Amino acid sequence: MRTILVVGGGYAGFYTAWKLEKKLRRGEARVIVVDPRPYMTYQPFLPEVVAGSVEARHAAVSLRRHLRRTEIIAGRVTAVDHARKTVTVRPAVGREYPLAYDIIVVTAGAVTRTLAIPGVSDHAIGMKHVEEAVAIRDRLLTAFDQAATLPPGPERRRLLTVTFVGGGFSGVEGFGELLSLATALIRRYPELSLDELSFHLVEARDRILPEVTDGPGQWVVRSLTKRGGRVHLNAQLLSVRDGHVVLSTGEEFDSELIVWTVGNAANPMVHNHSDLPVNGRGMLVVRADLRVGTEDAPVPDAWGAGDDAAVPDLAAERTGVSTVPNAQHAVRQGKLLARNIVATLRGREPKRYVHHSLGTVATLGLGRGIFQFHRLVIKGFPAWLMHRGYHVLAVPTWERKVRVLAVWATAALFGRDIVSLTSVQHPREAFLAGAHAPAPAEAGAPPAGVMTGDAARS
């Protein structure tokens, strides 16, 4: 029986394995998925996780729950030797070991793109995983609690200052949702005022949201500004040492929370530790039918899709363009990849990937959004409803759809939960504080270590 190895359990990897389970005959092939996380993250929900509109676990789809006939390995593929059809796996516990395969599917995904800016590695938080989204929300809630105990001044202003770096979809949606949460929180803190909030969105280019045209992008800037946010265009981040933000425009301010959403970079494993072909950007060279290689020279038994693959965009007006690395493409590529693998196993020709965009939709906070499809632009509340409707349909499995809808319905009746669980990141602090605290001395109590009464006699 052949072994199909799926490297990465993100969108493309999850959907590939999920569809392979449904299409493979019994005994036709076995499927293995290697990923360090036991779940697939539905990233379009992360901005709402940041705002508390979606429960964190509902933005994660368990691999073991839904891939019931797939072998799941909790680990990371650190090298691919396709010439020998072997990968090196670094498990969560234990030593690295080789793993053989017959067919490989590389869907390792991209990684967060970082720059050598002083202070970023020490103070910034990304927004690519559920854990990061939860940490961002908890940091904001904790900052409000701390600021409420301080008199007006520089320290209080720092706690109430938030900086997002990067004006793409992830940054703008996260910025809008967190701004919406912060303005709603002010009503719960009579000690604080709305004027003390300071939200900054820093973008190096002259516009935000490159996926939409200039008009809708400018409307988003005006909308965020009207709500109290500051959008810094043509501004580069120079330093964030000790939380002190320095911009190329000359502006400086202290910020308690710094969120890094600059974009994605090619997966280091793919372009540094693999013998599969990559392009100048370090992305996997993939044909239109998702086989690795070029039209003239395909690589046998190797497939790729998702954010780490340069998939030709046959629906684009220009030639030589690759598909945009987003969920809309990754999901559909994963489904087609599974069908194509099954087709080749049964002696049929694979089909080419062609997908025409369904449009662009983004949330900008509770009740606010933007949608564009060609020249059709919808703004405000209708676009926000479209965003929620589309993504609740797109998130995999009915179980997740029902859970998300239930949270939305509860929030509509009772409002968002504003409890901070920052202490979860340090779960032993309370235990250690109690263990190290001296016991209170009672009148007439014997010295510590001296047994009396029944305890001494026993």
Side-chain angles (χ1 to χ4, degrees):
M1 186 164 55
R2 293 191 177 190
T3 296
I4 302 173
L5 176 63
V6 181
V7 180
Y11 287 116
F14 173 82
Y15 275 94
T16 298
W18 202 23
K19 294 301 178 181
L20 281 173
E21 284 194 347
K22 297 178 180 180
K23 294 181 178 298
L24 287 171
R25 303 187 186 112
R26 185 173 298 276
E28 190 171 14
R30 68 168 182 152
V31 182
I32 301 175
V33 172
V34 181
D35 196 280
R37 287 180 169 80
Y39 56 83
M40 183 272 282
T41 303
Y42 190 72
Q43 291 182 348
F45 276 157
L46 292 187
E48 295 203 55
V49 172
V50 165
S53 301
V54 170
E55 171 62 34
R57 285 183 175 86
H58 299 168
V61 180
S62 170
L63 299 181
R64 291 188 181 275
R65 181 184 179 115
H66 301 290
L67 302 180
R68 298 176 182 176
R69 293 191 291 116
T70 297
E71 181 181 345
I72 309 296
I73 297 178
R76 189 184 304 276
V77 171
T78 58
V80 176
D81 186 353
H82 191 62
R84 295 183 174 87
K85 290 192 174 179
T86 304
V87 299
T88 302
V89 177
R90 179 182 297 161
V93 179
R95 297 181 177 180
E96 291 186 346
Y97 62 89
L99 178 64
Y101 62 84
D102 296 292
I103 298 171
I104 190 169
V105 177
V106 181
T107 54
V111 298
T112 301
R113 181 163 64 99
T114 57
L115 303 175
I117 297 175
V120 166
S121 60
D122 297 322
H123 299 282
I125 302 176
M127 207 178 78
K128 194 174 181 63
H129 302 290
V130 173
E131 302 91 336
E132 294 172 321
V134 172
I136 292 168
R137 178 174 180 269
D138 285 346
R139 285 276 294 274
L140 180 76
L141 294 173
T142 300
F144 265 73
D145 288 334
Q146 294 173 347
T149 65
L150 297 174
E155 182 62 16
R156 190 152 112 172
R157 285 199 303 272
R158 180 186 66 81
L159 288 168
L160 298 177
T161 299
V162 176
T163 305
F164 274 71
V165 185
F169 255 82
S170 179
V172 171
E173 287 190 313
F175 182 83
E177 286 286 352
L178 201 64
L179 177 59
S180 177
L181 172 62
T183 51
L185 280 175
I186 285 292
R187 294 193 294 269
R188 307 287 183 179
Y189 290 84
E191 306 92 340
L192 307 177
S193 68
L194 189 61
D195 294 338
E196 293 180 283
L197 284 181
S198 184
F199 271 65
H200 300 265
L201 176 62
V202 180
E203 171 54 48
R205 293 168 293 188
D206 61 353
R207 53 165 299 176
I208 60 174
L209 295 179
E211 293 86 351
V212 303
T213 54
D214 290 344
Q218 292 167 1
W219 177 85
V220 171
V221 172
R222 292 195 299 271
S223 174
L224 295 174
T225 303
K226 186 177 180 180
R227 291 161 53 192
R230 289 197 58 191
V231 180
H232 304 265
L233 299 178
N234 293 313
Q236 296 180 6
L237 183 67
L238 300 182
S239 172
V240 288
R241 282 196 182 98
D242 299 323
H244 184 70
V245 178
V246 180
L247 303 181
S248 60
T249 57
E251 296 176 86
E252 298 185 22
F253 49 88
D254 292 324
S255 182
E256 169 66 12
L257 179 57
I258 300 166
V259 184
W260 184 266
T261 59
V262 170
N264 295 329
N267 194 300
M269 186 279 293
V270 173
H271 65 79
N272 290 335
H273 305 287
S274 167
D275 58 354
L276 296 172
V278 295
N279 64 14
R281 293 183 296 158
M283 300 178 69
L284 197 65
V285 176
V286 175
R287 295 159 38 117
D289 59 8
L290 305 180
R291 285 189 284 190
V292 174
T294 63
E295 292 296 328
D296 299 328
V299 177
D301 299 322
W303 303 78
D307 291 355
D308 64 352
V311 180
D313 190 352
L314 301 184
E317 297 178 356
R318 296 182 292 114
T319 59
V321 178
S322 299
T323 56
V324 178
N326 61 21
Q328 193 175 136
H329 284 296
V331 168
R332 289 165 177 80
Q333 289 169 8
K335 293 178 179 179
L336 177 64
L337 203 157
R339 293 196 297 268
N340 281 351
I341 289 176
V342 173
T344 55
L345 287 175
R346 299 172 186 173
R348 300 196 304 267
E349 286 296 316
K351 294 183 179 179
R352 301 198 302 173
Y353 176 76
V354 182
H355 172 65
H356 296 274
S357 174
L358 301 176
T360 299
V361 63
T363 175
L364 303 174
L366 192 63
R368 301 175 177 88
I370 182 77
F371 169 81
Q372 182 174 19
F373 179 70
H374 298 306
R375 295 185 178 181
L376 174 64
V377 178
I378 299 175
K379 307 169 184 175
F381 186 73
W384 176 77
L385 285 178
M386 294 173 68
H387 177 274
R388 286 204 160 183
Y390 172 78
H391 285 300
V392 79
L393 291 175
V395 67
T397 80
W398 280 102
E399 173 253 348
R400 275 296 179 264
K401 300 179 198 296
V402 172
R403 289 183 185 274
V404 170
L405 284 171
V407 172
W408 283 343
T410 305
L413 290 174
F414 303 107
R416 287 183 281 206
D417 197 328
I418 59 170
V419 175
S420 170
L421 295 178
T422 307
S423 58
V424 171
Q425 300 171 35
H426 308 282
R428 299 185 68 245
E429 282 188 353
F431 169 75
L432 293 175
H436 295 158
E442 297 183 5
V450 178
M451 294 185 293
T452 61
D454 293 339
R457 287 191 292 272
S458 64

